[in-house]
Amino acid sequence: MLRHLAGSCHLGPTVAVTLLAAALGAGSDLKPVRLLLVAAAVFFGQLTIGWGNDLLDLPRDRAAGRRDKPLTDGRLQPQVVRSAIGVAALGLLLCSVPLGYRSALVHIVLVVGSGWAYNLWLKRTLASFVPYAVAFGALPAVITLTRNPPLCPPEWMVLTGALLGVGAHALNVLPDLDDDAATGVRGLPHALGERGLRLLASLALLGGVVCTVLGARLRSDLALIVLGLSAVLAVTTVRASGRTPFIAAVGIAFLLVWVLLLGA
């Protein structure tokens, strides 16, 4: 059962966001206990979002014939997922509250709340990118507001997070465009189409790299290397074919996160 629960929680994105939060916390010199609480709170919050997404998408996934999801083919029962969401939500609260009310509110309302707003409604609208922008833009504040004294993150870091979120949304939807179209999901990526989606991903992620390079005040030689490589990957994202655009866009995202951590 645990294997099927792991297969239904969108484990890749869940772990990626948790590691990003942990890395930002380590870069902000959080004490080990507080760093562990941040990572655990983010992990539990992302679990609720991932399981909630598969649970709410169950009718559409069955209609699209998705056999890669444990809920779709009966390997996992909906009531088990509901119970898992409840346990993860409890873990989210228990780990968020000790971080202080400012950090806890930002995390629960803006980060996790945005994920649930996407699942419940915004996924099927032209504003589908908004929850990603809000959640990723707010994530640095979860770390800085739990420090003593609490601090707001710099504006460039919030903007970088928002742009990373838009890029992540585009990358997350890109492999599922056909299945989503067949089941009536029409968010912004679906309105743009595959080529427009690739353009959105490359521009958002490249914008995030530029914002981070300027905000973190990288050495000029390192900044030129990062910007040049990001530009090449952005062009590849738009113009290449097959799996190459997706891989190139992921490459920009990794560069963006790396530079963001340098400036944390």
Side-chain angles (χ1 to χ4, degrees):
M1 183 183 297
L2 289 177
R3 179 165 60 90
H4 297 323
L5 281 171
S8 185
C9 74
H10 297 236
L11 190 59
T14 294
V15 171
V17 175
T18 302
L19 290 177
L20 175 59
L24 287 172
S28 297
D29 295 324
L30 291 184
K31 293 182 179 179
V33 172
R34 196 159 291 259
L35 178 59
L36 182 60
L37 284 171
V38 166
V42 171
F43 181 67
F44 283 128
Q46 293 303 305
L47 282 178
T48 71
I49 295 168
W51 281 325
N53 183 278
D54 268 20
L55 191 61
L56 292 167
D57 280 355
L58 181 56
R60 286 187 293 273
D61 288 337
R62 284 176 173 166
R66 294 287 298 266
R67 311 304 298 175
D68 57 324
K69 294 188 174 186
L71 270 172
T72 307
D73 61 9
R75 286 174 291 160
L76 191 63
Q77 296 303 312
Q79 59 266 29
V80 175
V81 177
R82 293 189 191 99
S83 298
I85 292 172
V87 172
L90 179 60
L92 163 65
L93 289 173
L94 291 176
C95 293
S96 294
V97 170
L99 299 177
Y101 76 90
R102 297 177 183 86
S103 177
L105 281 175
V106 168
H107 182 224
I108 293 171
V109 175
L110 295 183
V111 179
V112 180
S114 291
W116 275 94
Y118 176 83
N119 287 345
L120 290 167
W121 174 44
L122 293 173
K123 179 178 183 176
R124 294 171 292 281
T125 73
L126 293 179
S128 60
F129 69 95
V130 173
Y132 277 83
V134 172
F136 278 80
L139 188 60
V142 177
I143 287 87
T144 61
L145 289 174
T146 193
R147 297 177 63 179
N148 188 18
L151 299 171
C152 290
E155 289 84 354
W156 67 264
M157 191 174 286
V158 175
L159 180 56
T160 295
L163 290 169
L164 175 60
V166 174
H169 177 36
L171 291 177
N172 188 51
V173 174
L174 189 57
D176 296 330
L177 279 178
D178 291 339
D179 286 343
D180 287 344
T183 54
V185 177
R186 296 291 297 174
L188 178 63
H190 311 91
L192 293 174
E194 181 181 349
R195 189 169 182 81
L197 188 57
R198 284 196 257 155
L199 180 61
L200 174 65
S202 61
L203 289 178
L205 294 171
L206 185 58
V209 171
V210 172
C211 184
T212 307
V213 165
L214 296 176
R217 298 180 181 179
L218 292 188
R219 297 194 326 262
S220 57
D221 56 342
L222 182 57
L224 287 175
I225 292 172
V226 170
L227 290 172
L229 183 55
S230 298
V232 171
L233 290 172
V235 172
T236 303
T237 300
V238 176
R239 299 184 63 86
S241 58
R243 289 281 297 171
T244 303
F246 181 81
I247 295 170
V250 171
I252 308 174
F254 274 115
L255 270 176
L256 171 54
V257 170
W258 176 64
V259 179
L260 177 61
L261 295 177
L262 284 180

